[in-house]
Amino acid sequence: VITNQHQAHFWVVQDALCGLALSYQAKGLHDQAKETTRILLDAVREKHNMSSMMTAYSFCGRMALIQEDEEQAEQWLEMATEKEVRGPMPFLEDPPVSQAWLLLSKGDAESVARGQALLAQLLQHVESIANRRKMIEVLALQAWAYNLQDRKSESLEVLERALAFARPGGFIRTFADVP
């Protein structure tokens, strides 16, 4: 991917670099994850495409959240000004999903409520476009939000729904990343 990135459509390269960085992170190879993220940023800057830049900034925010660096995540996600829920959401990174994650990670009642409202909007959107992968991710985050609000029965209900969607396709990474 990195060596031959000029031979593929940029969307594929961007998603592949995000996936590679997430894989390195999951394996505990933090230096390689950071390097791959840096390569992603360099590639996006070279393209001068604002939408791709916002997605890359959002991805950097997501990586910071995974690394439990809330301050860094907030800075990246602030630069990723795209917070609207729209479009088919075909990529690994979607700024509104990472924004909801950041709000939940803050943990205070107001931020969690804002995150929960954004997740409700996201869930409606992903259901309307039948995006199973994103639905699993949104439901997992929504279960976390309910848990943060001490709404245990709702949290378990939503988590069971997410697991029911995830089981047939073997989606487990989402559940490993969400706190």
Side-chain angles (χ1 to χ4, degrees):
V1 171
I2 294 170
T3 306
N4 298 316
Q5 63 182 282
H6 301 289
Q7 295 179 1
H9 192 287
F10 186 69
W11 288 348
V12 173
V13 172
Q14 184 174 0
D15 227 30
L17 288 169
C18 290
L20 184 58
L22 287 169
S23 296
Y24 283 143
Q25 183 65 34
K27 289 182 170 189
L29 302 170
H30 307 295
D31 290 341
Q32 289 93 329
K34 286 180 182 181
E35 177 62 15
T36 304
T37 303
R38 186 198 58 73
I39 291 168
L40 169 67
L41 286 171
D42 289 347
V44 168
R45 287 181 183 126
E46 187 180 295
K47 294 294 178 191
H48 303 288
N49 180 301
M50 285 307 290
S51 178
S52 293
M53 186 68 77
M54 296 304 108
T55 300
Y57 288 163
S58 180
F59 180 75
C60 290
R62 176 179 294 237
M63 289 297 288
L65 286 168
I66 291 170
Q67 296 163 356
E68 298 180 359
D69 187 345
E70 188 180 308
E71 186 177 317
Q72 187 74 28
E74 192 160 14
Q75 291 172 4
W76 281 114
L77 289 166
E78 186 62 37
M79 291 191 299
T81 57
E82 183 183 310
K83 295 175 179 73
E84 283 184 35
V85 178
R86 61 179 177 190
M89 302 176 77
F91 304 110
L92 281 174
E93 179 57 35
D94 287 296
V97 175
S98 291
Q99 185 65 34
W101 188 345
L102 173 65
L103 289 166
L104 297 181
S105 72
K106 290 183 176 192
D108 63 275
E110 181 184 337
S111 295
V112 172
R114 286 178 43 219
Q116 184 69 285
L118 179 54
L119 288 168
Q121 185 183 7
L122 280 163
L123 183 59
Q124 184 178 22
H125 180 71
V126 296
E127 286 176 333
S128 73
I129 62 172
N131 188 326
R132 182 185 204 104
R133 183 174 54 85
K134 290 296 177 182
M135 190 179 316
I136 294 164
E137 185 175 21
V138 169
L139 287 170
L141 288 169
Q142 200 170 51
W144 179 32
Y146 283 132
N147 189 52
L148 290 170
Q149 296 169 327
D150 287 325
R151 296 163 62 182
K152 304 298 182 201
S153 63
E154 290 158 293
S155 178
L156 285 173
E157 190 176 304
V158 171
L159 183 58
E160 286 174 0
R161 184 174 173 211
L163 289 167
F165 280 114
R167 194 169 295 118
F171 288 90
I172 15 176
R173 184 77 245 159
T174 297
F175 301 100
D177 288 340
V178 173

